[in-house]
Every structure is written in C-alpha cells, then in structure tokens.
C-alpha cells in the first residue's frame, strides 16, 4: 500500500497544491487544517510521514512536533514562512527531520518527502555497534552501555551512516544526502544542528567528543 502523508496546514490552497503533487507520485494524503486536528489524525491513522506548517490555529507545528515525538518516530517535515536559522534550529531540536521555507517549490517538497520515506524503508533490520553504542535501525533504538538513548529518525540515519564506515570522513553534504536522499542549498546548517544534538545525546562530554569527531575543513568521522 502507498505511504500515507499527513499534511497539516491551515491554508487550503497550499494543502491542495501539496495533495496534487503527492498524489501525482502515487502517495496517499491525509489533511488537517489545524494542529489539534493533525495530532488527532496522527494518533488515529498512523501516517508514514507528516508535513507540518508552523503557524496554525490551536497547536503550532512546533507543538505538534513535540507531541508526536512522545509516541511516534515518523519522519517530520516542517513548513514555515520563517527562514531564520534560529527557527530552523528550533524545529530540528524538537525532533523534525527536515525544514522547508515558504514560498516553496512543491517539486522540492515531494523530493524531500520521497527521500525521507526511502531512508526509513532501508533502515529496517540493521543493527550497528561501535564502542558502547548499539543502534537498532528497525526500532530506531540506540543503547549506550545498555541504557536507551532517544533519537529522532534523522539522527538515527546520520549516526548509521557514520557507524557503518568508522574512520571514514563524511562532508556535511554527503551526510545530508545519505540521510535524506537529496541535498539542497542550506542543508549544511541543518546538518550541523543534527550533529550537535547527536553529540549531546551520545558523548560523555560533547565539547571533546569521543565518537563523532570533527575533521577541520572536511567534515565528520565516527571513531569506535
């Protein structure tokens, strides 16, 4: 069965435009016109991915993201008219996997949606180990020395890329493309946010990381 995409957006024209393009790619679409309706439909229908507008009546897209992360690891793509890095960082810190600013190209949104779905599909069944870390991609579960460490799907995908090739240096663009499936201008800043969040979660001291090392002028590598 085709993947089910939840679109939460109070502007009916934008919802209709996204539905047109997503259904044109064979995807199923579930619509919500406010944050409360989006959260209710996510609980009832278990969509495969959510597209959330930030400014909606009731719960904002940020608040829906926070609530979704309490019970679901589905990929979340934030839509916002706010283009400041601080707004993007807030969305990513709350658990979103991607962030697109308005006005947007619907073709790009569809490409990002399909890329997130591909990455989620490929993750099943793989278990990676390095040092005290064990990453089970089927359940999106990371354990450190036997203790669970919560990750967003995007964080799990990035960590998986690094753990599969310990010692190899990846650029920010390579990591983003590997995790999301496509790379777009501005994604390097988002990658820096994801790496920072990962370090906060897995490192004993994020300021002197043991696992995810920065190679100045090149990128990052994983050391087991």
């Amino acid at each position: 069965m085709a993947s089910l995409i939840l679109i939460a957006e109070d502007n009916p024209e934008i919802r209709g435009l996204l539905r047109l393009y997503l259904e044109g790619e064979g995807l199923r679409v579930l619509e919500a016109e406010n944050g409360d309706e989006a959260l209710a439909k996510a609980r009832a229908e278990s969509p495969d991915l959510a597209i959330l507008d930030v400014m909606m009546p009731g719960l904002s897209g940020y608040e829906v993201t926070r609530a979704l992360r309490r019970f679901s690891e589905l990929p979340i793509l934030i839509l916002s008219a706010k283009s400041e890095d601080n707004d993007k960082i807030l969305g990513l810190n709350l658990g979103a996997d991607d962030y697109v600013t308005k006005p947007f190209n619907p073709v790009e949104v569809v490409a990002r949606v399909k890329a997130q779905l591909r990455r989620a599909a490929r993750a099943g069944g793989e278990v990676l180990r390095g040092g005290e870390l064990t990453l089970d991609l089927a359940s999106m579960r990371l354990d450190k020395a036997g203790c669970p460490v919560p990750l967003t799907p995007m964080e799990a995908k990035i960590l998986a890329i690094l753990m599969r090739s310990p010692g190899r240096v990846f650029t920010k663009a390579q990591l983003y493309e590997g995790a999301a499936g496509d790379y777009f201008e501005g994604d390097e800043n988002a990658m820096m946010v994801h790496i920072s969040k990962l370090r906060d979660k897995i490192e004993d001291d994020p300021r002197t990381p043991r696992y995810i090392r920065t190679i100045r002028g090149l990128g990052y590598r994983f050391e087991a």
Side-chain angles (χ1 to χ4, degrees):
M1 183 178 293
S3 296
L4 178 63
I5 311 301
L6 170 63
I7 303 173
E9 163 66 62
D10 62 330
N11 186 320
E13 293 183 359
I14 293 178
R15 290 202 311 272
L17 179 65
L18 289 173
R19 173 185 281 276
L20 177 66
Y21 277 82
L22 290 167
E23 289 184 340
E25 294 295 323
L27 300 168
R28 296 180 296 137
V29 172
L30 180 68
E31 293 187 28
E33 63 182 21
N34 58 63
D36 300 281
E37 183 183 3
L39 190 56
K41 288 190 173 182
R43 291 183 181 276
E45 303 291 340
S46 299
D48 298 291
L49 182 144
I51 301 174
L52 307 177
D53 181 35
V54 169
M55 302 301 292
M56 293 186 290
L59 297 175
S60 71
Y62 292 145
E63 291 170 318
V64 175
T65 297
R66 184 188 293 112
L68 284 174
R69 282 292 170 254
R70 296 191 184 110
F71 65 89
S72 176
E73 295 298 330
L74 85 167
I76 297 173
L77 190 154
I78 292 285
L79 291 179
S80 177
K82 300 180 178 181
S83 60
E84 296 296 326
D85 284 343
N86 287 343
D87 296 308
K88 297 180 182 180
I89 290 169
L90 174 59
L92 296 171
N93 280 338
L94 291 174
D97 298 281
D98 208 349
Y99 193 108
V100 176
T101 56
K102 298 177 180 178
F104 57 81
N105 184 336
V107 175
E108 177 183 338
V109 174
V110 171
R112 288 178 180 266
V113 166
K114 293 174 69 177
Q116 290 289 343
L117 293 173
R118 285 196 301 270
R119 298 305 305 175
R122 291 172 186 166
E126 189 173 6
V127 177
L128 301 169
R129 295 178 176 84
E132 296 180 317
L133 305 179
T134 301
L135 178 60
D136 184 338
L137 290 176
S139 61
M140 290 293 185
R141 178 186 175 94
L142 174 69
D143 289 337
K144 180 180 178 182
C147 297
V149 179
L151 297 180
T152 68
M154 188 66 168
E155 291 167 357
K157 294 166 195 172
I158 294 166
L159 186 57
I161 293 169
L162 292 166
M163 290 181 70
R164 288 189 190 106
S165 303
R168 175 183 169 182
V169 178
F170 291 89
T171 67
K172 298 181 188 73
Q174 287 173 329
L175 285 174
Y176 205 100
E177 185 174 3
D182 293 280
Y183 176 78
F184 298 90
E185 184 179 356
D187 286 340
E188 286 196 4
N189 289 337
M191 179 53 58
M192 292 173 66
V193 174
H194 289 304
I195 292 294
S196 177
K197 290 174 59 183
L198 270 172
R199 283 175 169 160
D200 286 341
K201 293 180 178 182
I202 70 174
E203 303 286 359
D204 294 331
D205 182 359
R207 293 170 298 179
T208 56
R210 167 189 173 187
Y211 292 109
I212 301 178
R213 304 292 297 274
T214 298
I215 309 304
R216 189 174 298 277
L218 295 175
Y220 306 99
R221 75 180 180 208
F222 181 83
E223 296 187 0

